[in-house]
Amino acid sequence: MKYAMKSYCMEFYFKTDPDGEIADWNFDLHDLQLCFGVKEFLVIAPQSASGVVLDAPEASKLLSAVAIALSNCSSLWPAFVPVHDPSRKAYIGIQSMGTVFTRRFEADRIGSQVPIKLMHLEGLYELFVSKFAYSTLDLSVHNFKVRFAMKLTFRTLPYDDDNMKTAKISKSEENVTGEMSDGMQWDDDCSWSGWYSAEDPVKGFELIAIWSEKMVENSMEMAELENASPHEAEKWLISLRLQGSSGNPVGFSSELRLLVDALQMSFEAQFMEDFVSVENPGSDNIKSAMVIPSPTVRDRVLKELFIDGVQFSDFADGGHKASRAIKGAPLGSLFAQFCLHSLWFGNCNIRAIAVLWIEFVREVRWCWEESQLLPRMPTNGSIDLSTCLINQKLQMLAICIERKCQLNEEYEDCIGSLDQIDSMSEDESVVGDDSFSIQTSSDDFSGKVDSRKLEDVQLSNDKETSDLTRRGSAGIVDSMMLLKSHQSMHAPYTQEAPLMTEDMHEERLKAVEAFGDSFNFSAQLERDILTSDMSAFKAANPDAIFEDFIRWHSPGDWEEYDDPEKSKSSSSSSLDTKKSKDSWPPQGKLSKRMSEHGNLWRKLWNSAPALPASEQKPLLDPNREGEKVLHYLETLQPHELLEQMVCTAFRAAADTLSQTSYGELKQMETEMQQLYLTMASALRPLQVNRLSGDSETIEDLRRLTGTLERVEKLLTLAASLHRKLLKAPRLSREIFSDYYNFYIQTTDKGFTEDIDEKEFDKKQEVRDVEREVLSNMFVPPTANQSWRKVLSMGNLLNGHEPIVREIIFSLRDRVSGNHYAARSGNVSQQEIQTYRMYICGTSNDLRVALSVVSGD
């Protein structure tokens, strides 16, 4: 609206539920609703820089014009005009009550030098009474039925205050390994504390104590109320105070974003040494300034990885059950720890990673050459093919080092026993020759006789002979006997199949596919395995024939006869009729492929010596396989290394975060499960090794770091709440749930860059059993604390005075003789609120809002 060369703006405020009563301490109220107790109202303000009317006559004239206009249209809306300086939050207002009565409003604020009398409840009470009592009365001795309600707001000390004895860790070379400073951190017991110290998202709590409306008759009662403890309040409410955003937060997500940048740059060179070499021309990106930590920092990282590293059996994997879907190294393993250290090594650029990797491989080679066990790696069991290839190679190397040490010990034992062998007597040597001759005679024995009695005697002799020469038996095979000698078949101890990594399996499959039938055994490895099994079987069963081995090793290549007549006619034996009806020998033959002329299995059988597994050459040559692993690590291309590092770092970071204790929060459990699913999907392209520097996968990985940052932020808050409200878990759950809903709604609207934490002001009611927990947060102040000041207000909580005190005084009277402007019936008597005063402030700040009903 325009008037006298000025423009004014008129705004109408209303409740969405106009029929409901306004509670005194409804936190959704507008400032003027709280000050004056109104529902709907108008605000008329000039459209100027200050937004207030600085001229008193102008304000009165403007308010009178609006009041007349509202009266002419029978409107009961109150109208307000802002006056004076904006910092005073001063208003004047008027409302027609539809009768001969009019309510007038006035609000103002004292910003400094509050009178001592007005710092106390007694003085504030007398200020209110003075508005309707005669000035000649002694207010301290007269009784007035004044309604009183109060709200006190207490605030805990900031958790980053000097009194909390916290110390922040700077992200510098001196703390690159996660070493803690002398001061205690709030997250010392959190899973991520070994890598970084997160800023406590909880700045503190606000505790609101509410006294419901009660009747007060004199100032003495007000003096007693000022000495009352907040524990006497009818209701307690708690709200969370969050730290504001302080730039880029330190965490796994920010460092993983740098690692993704290093992955993109890794395609610019063929070897890791190219990123370190000064002579390498490289690209402009490689030439750009990149921080490389000092040798001291590098040595400290290597010391923690290799010297301070624990053996694999000394700790559990600790990973989340869903992490196995991500092809990386398990948490706690050597390569996973290398990846996590790389995140904090310098600024995680490609040059810093190259320096650390080269030194890492040198340390691995030193462990190999000196036969020192690799830390953080298992030395037994099979290769875990669900992990990344580097972890498989390191696991293979750890096993090779273990086997290498065993061979060295056996060699030393053999050297030590040579003297005993040389001093053997001739008699002992003769016994050994007799044993050899018995074995030879057993081999020449045909075992075919007509007499059953002689057969039993001969078989008994055979049994004794075989027992003398049998070696490497693991036990008798149930219901199976040798075809030639009618003796029980013994299962041999065999060598374990040689361990293979993923790339070795792929090479084996390609070799089999290239030569067609897998039984052609084009690969030497298959020949060696089969020959080893044959030799062990011969040693355990000296009288065995090729058919016996097939029945044990490959039952599918031994075909039983279905027709007894057919088996009788095709039998090559010359047994009589009584013998043919007997159940022995089993009626069958070799399969077609095993019966073919020149079959490779039979050739290997004929050439295989009878040696138990303990005397055979190991299938796994630890020296050869160990050198292969080192060659792989030393010639690994940069992008292949970075791809596996990204997968492992994401997995290890998520597994580390999942170990955080945050109580029973279903929202966080869901977030963690969804994070693993998202990571598995986003990291899957890295496993096919088809990336390029400009691949869309790089952008997907950057978005994945944003997802991790979101989970990291929520998890940090959950952990902080859990620790501070450990004895009040319900409050922790409710507060986190409120913030989670607020955060989700805000991010869903697209405000992901900067969320104003001040907008979150949800409050939770505190139960009686939880009051003691919150009260203990207010530690009694000591004399040397810098924030301590002279206390000037009452209602202290463990020595802390409220930061804000809000009071509502009101007086209600019955009136009669009303004449309504609008037809709404005649009422002989009605009780209305004739006086109301809202007071808000502290010892240094006081705001007073007064509304008075008059009959003018």
Side-chain angles (χ1 to χ4, degrees), residues 124-137 139 142-147 216-218 809-813 833-837 850-853:
L124 296 174
Y125 169 80
E126 293 179 358
L127 173 66
F128 174 68
V129 173
S130 66
K131 299 301 179 181
F132 57 83
Y134 293 107
S135 59
T136 57
L137 294 178
L139 302 182
H142 282 76
N143 294 338
F144 303 94
K145 294 186 179 298
V146 175
R147 298 175 187 270
V216 180
E217 295 187 354
N218 53 58
F809 291 112
S810 63
L811 185 68
R812 304 182 73 88
D813 290 316
Q833 189 181 68
T834 54
Y835 291 88
R836 185 184 189 275
M837 179 180 286
L850 176 68
S851 64
V852 179
V853 175

Side-chain angles (χ1 to χ4, degrees), residues 10 31 94 153 254 289 388 399 502 637 679 690 703 806:
M10 183 166 62
D31 179 59
I94 191 170
T153 302
S254 58
C388 64
I399 295 173
E502 189 177 55
Q637 292 188 357
M679 288 171 54
R690 296 177 181 175
R703 285 190 287 268
E806 297 175 76

Side-chain angles (χ1 to χ4, degrees), residues 322-342:
S323 65
R324 293 188 65 85
I326 303 170
K327 200 173 182 62
L331 181 64
S333 64
L334 183 59
F335 184 61
Q337 293 297 303
F338 167 82
C339 293
L340 290 178
H341 276 288
S342 299

